[in-house]
Amino acid sequence: TLTAPAPFADETSCQCQAPHEKLTIAQARLGTPVDRPVRVYADGIFDLFHSGHARALMQAKTLFPNSYLLVGVCSDDLTHKFKGFTVMNETERYEALRHCRYVDEVIRDAPWTLTPEFLEKHKIDFVAHDDIPYSSAGSDDVYKHIKEAGMFVPTQRTEGISTSDIITRIVRDYDVYARRNLQRGYTAKELNVSFINEKKYRFQNQVDKMKEKVKNVEEKSKEFVYKVEEKSHDLIQKWEEKSREFIGNFLELFGPDGAWKQMFQERSGRMLQAFSPRQSPNSSPTRGRSPSRSPSPPWVFNKASPPSSPKAASASLSSMSEGDEDEK
């Protein structure tokens, strides 16, 4: 487990104590000598250290079964002279390499072109770099003599990531990064921003804040409406379930064959039985008798047929008198 950064070459002695015998690539791939690992060297600027750098160093570290990776980093003077200005200074670039897990040793102020003296000093067996010819310092390929000596081992570049690509993004989105750093407390002087641009960036920051607030309000409103719709859906569903349950209970109680109808029929039958009891049997002694009617007295006149004449009245009176005599 790595617990410390890689050491600097000028602060430690070389770990290879045995005489340095030259190895071929075939020998290194078959197996390393018992007394030492294969010493692989990789160099570069390593400005804005990124995953493409790390992957190249990983390939250099795993070229052979047992290897010791030395990484040379060029100084600011050499870099500015042959390549251009860097974002990170040499101290920052040295420290970035020391904390890469694949690096065993860092060589500060590495030469731009590798010399036999440099290779012998650090007992380097092979040099790892991508196979694209690197033209610089008046040479079509600074690794040409390394390739001719059979000490060059190629690695693969990682597409889509490079220091130049990162710088291009920063230049393209300069206004965005300038506004961000102004908002974080950097001064216009530190950012080399004019007074007018400073005011413009700050105004744009205020506009962006307002847009963000409006966006947050819209999102909260949408969330609230969604919750209301969800709750209303649940309420409607529960209401439908309760209404179906209520209708079912109502029909069960008051429907055509419901319990209420049966109970009503039973009570109606009891009331009818109470008001009109059953008739007496035909053998009852009172059944054959007709109601007695008292004879009307002979002097009761029929009001519906009064005597039509005085003669008739006198005749009726004479008949009544005769009848009375007969009864006597």
Side-chain angles (χ1 to χ4, degrees):
T1 303
L2 298 176
T3 58
F8 290 120
D10 53 359
E11 295 178 353
T12 182
S13 60
C14 180
Q15 296 181 3
C16 182
Q17 303 297 332
H20 184 261
E21 296 180 2
K22 188 174 179 58
L23 296 174
T24 64
I25 294 178
Q27 290 175 337
R29 292 189 187 280
L30 289 175
T32 59
V34 177
D35 54 355
R36 68 174 180 89
V38 177
R39 295 174 68 83
V40 181
Y41 175 80
D43 61 356
I45 309 302
F46 301 106
D47 190 21
L48 297 175
F49 189 79
H50 52 75
S51 61
H53 294 142
R55 288 178 64 86
L57 297 176
M58 179 186 69
Q59 295 177 59
K61 176 68 175 177
T62 57
L63 286 170
F64 306 107
N66 183 21
S67 61
Y68 185 84
L69 180 60
L70 300 93
V71 179
V73 184
C74 300
S75 64
D76 286 344
D77 292 338
L78 279 178
T79 305
H80 298 167
K81 179 180 178 181
F82 293 109
K83 189 169 185 177
F85 191 75
T86 59
V87 178
M88 301 169 64
N89 59 43
E90 59 185 24
T91 303
E92 293 169 337
R93 293 185 285 115
Y94 297 155
E95 288 296 324
L97 266 298
R98 291 185 70 194
H99 292 83
C100 179
R101 64 185 300 179
Y102 310 113
V103 178
D104 295 307
E105 189 175 315
V106 175
I107 301 175
R108 292 182 286 192
D109 193 13
W112 197 261
T113 302
L114 299 178
T115 62
E117 294 78 15
F118 179 82
L119 297 174
E120 180 62 27
K121 176 183 177 181
H122 295 283
K123 298 182 180 181
I124 296 170
D125 293 311
F126 301 101
V127 176
H129 199 273
D130 63 80
D131 203 13
I132 300 174
Y134 193 86
S135 59
S136 180
S139 175
D140 294 336
D141 189 1
V142 295
Y143 297 104
K144 183 178 180 181
H145 64 289
I146 303 295
K147 295 176 181 178
E148 292 174 351
M151 298 175 63
F152 186 84
V153 184
T155 58
Q156 299 295 323
R157 291 178 64 90
T158 302
E159 297 296 332
I161 182 67
S162 68
T163 302
S164 299
D165 291 339
I166 296 173
I167 294 175
T168 300
R169 297 178 202 171
I170 296 173
V171 173
R172 181 190 60 196
D173 300 327
Y174 169 77
D175 290 348
V176 176
Y177 297 123
R179 287 166 52 192
R180 183 188 67 178
N181 287 351
L182 281 173
Q183 192 173 5
R184 291 183 175 180
Y186 288 88
T187 64
K189 184 177 180 180
E190 291 174 330
L191 297 172
N192 196 24
V193 173
S194 65
F195 176 79
I196 296 176
N197 285 336
E198 179 189 5
K199 299 302 179 184
K200 181 181 72 174
Y201 293 152
R202 293 191 184 280
F203 177 74
Q204 289 175 345
N205 287 336
Q206 295 297 328
V207 172
D208 289 345
K209 287 182 180 179
M210 185 61 65
K211 289 181 179 179
E212 188 68 21
K213 289 182 180 179
V214 173
K215 183 179 178 181
N216 292 335
V217 171
E218 289 179 352
E219 291 178 354
K220 290 181 180 179
S221 299
K222 290 180 181 179
E223 184 178 358
F224 176 75
V225 171
Y226 175 76
K227 289 182 179 179
V228 170
E229 290 179 351
E230 187 177 6
K231 289 184 178 180
S232 62
H233 179 73
D234 293 340
L235 289 174
I236 291 173
Q237 187 176 3
K238 290 180 180 179
W239 182 84
E240 290 179 349
E241 293 176 357
K242 292 294 183 181
S243 62
R244 285 194 294 267
E245 182 180 356
F246 175 77
I247 292 172
N249 294 335
F250 182 84
L251 292 176
E252 184 179 356
L253 185 61
F254 298 101
D257 298 327
W260 181 260
K261 182 178 180 181
Q262 295 177 1
M263 182 176 65
F264 181 76
Q265 289 177 350
E266 292 177 359
R267 291 186 177 181
S268 299
R270 292 175 182 175
M271 292 177 66
L272 290 175
Q273 187 176 2
F275 285 117
S276 57
R278 294 179 181 179
Q279 296 178 356
S280 301
N282 295 332
S283 60
S284 176
T286 59
R287 173 67 70 176
R289 297 179 182 178
S290 59
S292 60
R293 299 178 63 185
S294 58
S296 300
W299 57 83
V300 177
F301 297 99
N302 190 359
K303 295 181 179 180
S305 58
S308 58
S309 62
K311 292 181 179 181
S314 59
S316 61
L317 288 174
S318 60
S319 62
M320 290 175 61
S321 61
E322 289 177 359
D324 291 336
E325 292 178 355
D326 292 336
E327 286 180 0
K328 292 178 179 179

